[in-house]
Amino acid sequence: DQRRSQRPMTGLGSGFIISDDGIIVTNNHVIEGADEITVILSDETEYTAQLLGRDPKADLAVLKINPENYKLTSVEWGDSEDMRVGDWSIAIGNPLGLGGTVTAGIISAISRDIGSGPYVKFLQTDASINRGNSGGPLFNLEGKVIGINTAIVSQTGGSIGLGFAIPSNSAKKIVQQLKDFGKTKRGWLGVQIQPVSKDFAESLGLENEKGAFVSNVNPKGPSKTAGIEAGDVILNFNDIEIVKMTDLPRVVAESDVGSIAKVQVWRKNKKIIIEVELGE
């Protein structure tokens, strides 16, 4: 209805300060499409934030505020690889507009694929996460950020104990790139892949269904130059085992553009190592 007056829409989310000069991390979906971004600190001080960069594929955004004479307190990144199922985790955020809400739970699973893009495997937690918690930090018991609360699975829209956080080790690198370049630079191999089915494994002489089957090679991609062929099965990338096909895009994307990657492939009943200079 065109006659209705347009009211500004307001969205709520969470974020955390990672440096004393006012760099803030949040989710891309928290600020996506926003005309104006306001950051409200725990003591109700308000700042207008500038968007430094965002990455929709990993659902991360980096903001900057100018604290002037205000002394900001920043948080430190922790090592998400150290987390194990059963470890305690603490979420802080702004659920339903109730800023500064702290909830606790355990890490329920690590490396969870919830089908939201190829580049992130999530930490799962049963700490209560609701609408407005997105972009907030998930801490370990030492008060270091090991995840960024991003999604929940719920039929009701409220927390039923299935919360998902982007691991800090994945986020750290992306956040640094958004800060430095305003965009993410991901490694590129230039292959189309599919899962290794039971039939594929048997016909190729593989002992299991691990790896990524190369169905096509981009004629202008780095793989073509390096000599990877359609029909190869990629088993290992820079000494990281490719257990499922979906592991490959993530480990390639996390590698530096222009770096030389060691790719182990299965071809004609033997393993060979091919060195590929990754594109962007």
Side-chain angles (χ1 to χ4, degrees):
D1 185 353
Q2 292 295 319
R3 287 165 303 179
R4 279 191 195 160
S5 63
Q6 286 200 320
R7 287 210 313 273
M9 289 281 291
T10 307
L12 291 170
S14 305
F16 53 98
I17 301 167
I18 57 164
S19 67
D20 301 345
D21 59 350
I23 301 286
I24 292 170
V25 177
T26 186
N27 280 140
N28 175 61
H29 77 258
V30 168
I31 55 91
E32 198 170 22
D35 298 318
E36 203 174 282
I37 303 167
T38 306
V39 169
I40 306 168
L41 303 184
S42 54
D43 63 0
E44 303 295 319
T45 316
E46 291 193 14
Y47 292 97
T48 299
Q50 168 201 356
L51 178 61
L52 292 188
R54 62 193 193 89
D55 181 3
K57 288 195 170 90
D59 199 2
L60 287 171
V62 176
L63 313 175
K64 170 89 170 73
I65 59 172
N66 182 5
E68 290 159 358
N69 302 325
Y70 190 97
K71 174 102 178 64
L72 293 175
T73 306
S74 58
V75 291
E76 274 180 60
W77 292 110
D79 185 351
S80 54
E81 293 288 314
D82 281 351
M83 299 308 283
R84 295 289 172 264
V85 172
D87 284 351
W88 281 97
S89 60
I90 294 165
I92 299 184
N94 181 29
L96 311 175
L98 301 168
T101 295
V102 183
T103 53
I106 58 166
I107 298 291
S108 313
I110 42 182
S111 205
R112 184 71 89 197
D113 185 356
I114 60 169
S116 69
Y119 299 128
V120 174
K121 285 282 203 288
F122 291 88
L123 290 174
Q124 184 182 325
T125 178
D126 68 351
S128 282
I129 291 173
N130 287 290
R131 288 173 201 275
N133 267 114
S134 282
L138 187 70
F139 290 102
N140 60 17
L141 288 187
E142 286 156 15
K144 304 241 172 93
V145 178
I146 46 102
I148 299 165
N149 302 320
T150 297
I152 58 172
V153 169
S154 165
Q155 285 81 23
T156 60
S159 173
I160 55 166
L162 294 172
F164 299 93
I166 300 168
S168 59
N169 290 20
S170 301
K172 236 185 303 195
K173 191 168 183 178
I174 294 170
V175 165
Q176 193 61 46
Q177 288 187 347
L178 291 176
K179 218 170 98 175
D180 294 346
F181 314 116
K183 67 180 184 110
T184 312
K185 296 184 174 186
R186 290 194 170 89
W188 178 52
L189 204 52
V191 290
Q192 281 184 342
I193 53 171
Q194 58 191 77
V196 177
S197 65
K198 203 168 182 184
D199 295 345
F200 274 169
E202 281 174 11
S203 65
L204 294 168
L206 284 163
E207 57 195 41
N208 52 39
E209 293 161 41
K210 290 179 179 174
F213 178 82
V214 178
S215 57
N216 204 345
V217 179
N218 185 321
K220 295 181 181 154
S223 290
K224 181 77 178 166
T225 315
I228 290 177
E229 297 170 5
D232 288 348
V233 177
I234 296 174
L235 302 173
N236 237 302
F237 183 89
N238 278 344
D239 299 327
I240 299 165
E241 189 183 15
I242 305 303
V243 179
K244 295 203 293 290
M245 172 201 86
T246 49
D247 294 340
L248 186 64
R250 187 172 48 89
V251 295
V252 174
E254 285 175 359
S255 305
D256 293 329
V257 174
S259 64
I260 304 293
K262 274 171 45 186
V263 183
Q264 184 193 61
V265 304
W266 179 261
R267 183 188 295 170
K268 294 182 180 159
N269 288 334
K270 61 174 191 284
K271 293 175 181 174
I272 56 171
I273 300 276
I274 296 173
E275 292 195 341
V276 185
E277 184 181 334
L278 296 180
E280 183 180 344

